[in-house]
Amino acid sequence: MRDRASDQNDDWNQQWVPFASDLGLNVLVLDHGTNPGRVLLVDGVDGLHGHRTWPSLTDLTDQVSEALLASTVLNGHQPVVEDKRLRWSDAN
C-alpha cells in the first residue's frame, strides 16, 4: 500500500506506519514523524485527510469501541458486525 500511495502522492511520509486499509486506497497510519503517535487517514490518490485524525491510537480505539457498544455513527459510518467481521456502512 505504501508504494501505491507514494507513487501517486508526494505527501507520503516515510515515518508513517500503515496499519489498516479499506478496499480502496484509504490507509490509516501511525505517525512517527512530526506528530508521534497521531493516527492519520491517508488516501492513495488525494493524500492526507487532515480533518480525519486522532491524537493517538488509544483515542481511535476508544471511539471505535464506543461506536460498537452504543451502535452509533463514527465519522459518517455505522459499525456493523456480520459473520464475526466488522464493516462500516454509510450512515446516510
Side-chain angles (χ1 to χ4, degrees), residues 16-36:
W16 291 344
V17 178
F19 67 91
S21 68
D22 61 10
L23 297 176
L25 293 175
N26 293 314
V27 181
L28 286 176
V29 300
L30 190 59
D31 186 0
H32 286 280
T34 56
N35 296 294

Side-chain angles (χ1 to χ4, degrees), residues 69-90:
L69 291 172
S71 191
T72 57
V73 174
L74 177 63
N75 286 341
H77 294 85
Q78 181 78 35
V80 178
V81 177
E82 294 176 341
D83 298 323
K84 299 180 183 179
R85 294 182 184 193
L86 173 63
R87 70 176 182 81
W88 296 88
S89 65
D90 289 333

Side-chain angles (χ1 to χ4, degrees), residues 19-67:
F19 67 91
S21 68
D22 61 10
L23 297 176
L25 293 175
N26 293 314
V27 181
L28 286 176
V29 300
L30 190 59
D31 186 0
H32 286 280
T34 56
N35 296 294
R38 187 173 69 166
V39 176
L40 308 170
L41 175 61
V42 180
D43 182 290
V45 176
D46 296 327
L48 179 64
H49 293 284
H51 63 282
R52 293 187 180 171
T53 64
W54 293 267
S56 70
L57 188 56
T58 301
D59 289 316
L60 170 61
T61 56
D62 285 348
Q63 288 183 22
V64 169
S65 176
E66 289 171 14

